[in-house]
Amino acid sequence: MAAIYLNGKLVDRQHAVVSVYDHGFLYGDGVFEGLRFYGGKIFKLREHLDRLYDSARHIALAIPQDIDSLSADTVACVAASGMVDGYVRLVVSRGEGNLGLDPRSCPKPTVIIIADAIKLYPAEMYEQGMEVITAATIRNHPDALDPRVKSLNYLNNILAKLEANRAGVPEAIMLNHLGHVAECTADNIFIVKQGVLSTPARHSGLLDGITRRTVLELAERLKITAREETLTRHDLFTADEMFLTGSGAEIVPVTRVDARPIGQGTPGTVTGRLREAYHKLVRS
Ligand code: PMP
């Protein structure tokens, strides 16, 4: 059963509503996080909260409770759901204000916590691999809206997702303004070439994913050489393996990019080792 906290109070779904004057709704003015819980325990809660508060700071949005109090509410929301495994969505919007985008008309940010089930990609995709495209829509220029801010304004990503939909594949790789690989619409990307793991560096303009960081830590533990660097489509097309990472998606192998097979066209062994280590970690 889902549980919802709205401004610090547990509410039923029917009463979990926000104003049509909320600037989160009117302008996408707000920030969010997506987390998972396994066996009743929230994975990397502190890291997600730190990123939420950093995103909020970037847009000068003062979250009306401190990090420990929001952390306690998140834990309480998961407990109230009675679920053992699931997903948490944390949302902080600018709050209710006037028509007109000036944030000064919004005195009180809206804070929402939802604990619910998450719909994954189909299980076969994890075993057989996913097909993706590279999108023509480039990732937001970091000097316009830094992709490190996990904001409620996802139109940039949605435009790329529409391209994926039109191509009949689940995800799209987004390049940055320089033509370098950035990330997917809601996941980070990794490749493996001759046993070396690579992922676009943060300065390529991407969300500093918590699963991405976890995979880099796991690689170190498994003694897999890993690099954060500039990647181009050449690196994608010539990779031996590829996978995507995200709290929701976890680690999903990619076996085709722009209708070209990656490596043998099947999920690779390094990907498999990292997936296994990740599954162990989240349940530990
Ligand atoms: N990039 C984008 C654009 C995202 O929205 C997300 C989260 N869904 C990620 C990457 C992955 O981040 P994380 O591992 O922290 O969930």
Side-chain angles (χ1 to χ4, degrees):
M1 185 192 67
I4 304 162
Y5 265 63
L6 177 59
N7 297 324
K9 287 196 193 73
L10 191 61
V11 292
D12 1 309
R13 192 177 175 137
Q14 176 192 0
H15 296 109
V17 289
V18 295
S19 166
V20 294
Y21 288 91
D22 195 296
H23 281 208
F25 176 72
L26 286 175
Y27 299 113
D29 185 357
V31 293
F32 79 103
E33 278 298 321
L35 309 78
R36 256 181 186 264
F37 53 98
Y38 300 90
K41 193 167 175 294
I42 304 170
F43 186 61
K44 305 272 182 190
L45 174 59
R46 188 68 195 202
E47 286 84 344
H48 281 278
L49 288 169
D50 282 342
R51 191 171 65 186
L52 182 77
Y53 279 76
D54 281 349
S55 293
R57 217 170 289 150
H58 184 116
I59 66 163
L61 169 61
I63 298 180
Q65 59 190 116
D66 68 23
I67 200 162
D68 291 333
S69 138
L70 187 57
S71 175
D73 282 359
T74 308
V75 170
C77 186
V78 167
S81 77
M83 294 164 60
V84 180
D85 294 326
Y87 180 82
V88 178
R89 173 59 55 92
L90 288 173
V91 183
V92 184
S93 80
R94 191 75 65 179
E96 191 173 345
N98 300 334
L99 296 176
L101 56 79
D102 192 341
R104 289 175 299 185
S105 78
C106 310
K108 191 171 154 276
T110 305
V111 181
I112 299 164
I113 310 170
I114 306 168
D116 205 343
I118 175 141
K119 192 177 155 281
L120 282 174
Y121 293 122
E124 342 46 282
M125 211 168 266
Y126 288 85
E127 302 313 320
Q128 287 157 23
M130 177 191 273
E131 176 166 5
V132 304
I133 56 158
T134 45
T137 305
I138 63 162
R139 192 73 177 95
N140 277 332
H141 193 298
D143 294 343
L145 175 56
D146 195 316
R148 282 180 294 186
V149 178
K150 197 162 167 59
S151 86
L152 292 183
N153 200 313
Y154 255 51
L155 274 179
N156 176 224
N157 315 55
I158 289 166
L159 288 172
K161 188 76 169 183
L162 289 170
E163 292 186 52
N165 291 350
R166 276 196 296 271
V169 300
E171 253 294 4
I173 298 167
M174 301 182 77
L175 308 177
N176 68 12
H177 57 288
L178 299 169
H180 302 152
V181 179
E183 59 179 336
C184 288
T185 69
D187 297 310
N188 293 111
I189 185 166
F190 284 80
I191 60 166
V192 179
K193 176 84 171 173
Q194 289 165 352
V196 175
L197 184 68
S198 298
T199 193
R202 277 169 294 179
H203 60 67
S204 294
L206 45 103
L207 183 75
D208 182 5
I210 287 156
T211 320
R212 175 185 179 279
R213 284 186 222 160
T214 306
V215 164
L216 289 170
E217 284 162 18
L218 287 175
E220 195 172 346
R221 237 186 267 172
L222 295 174
K223 307 218 178 323
I224 299 166
T225 307
R227 295 190 195 127
E228 296 173 71
E229 58 188 349
T230 299
L231 295 178
T232 64
R233 288 178 94 204
H234 175 80
D235 300 305
L236 302 182
F237 293 155
T238 58
D240 300 329
E241 302 182 30
M242 188 179 297
F243 60 88
L244 310 184
T245 64
S247 302
E250 302 176 309
I251 297 177
V252 46
V254 174
T255 48
R256 276 170 86 83
V257 176
D258 297 333
R260 298 155 184 256
I262 297 302
Q264 304 300 312
T266 52
T269 51
V270 174
T271 307
R273 285 175 68 203
L274 287 164
R275 278 191 66 211
E276 197 186 319
Y278 189 79
H279 288 141
K280 258 192 211 146
L281 179 70
V282 298
R283 303 241 166 234
S284 64

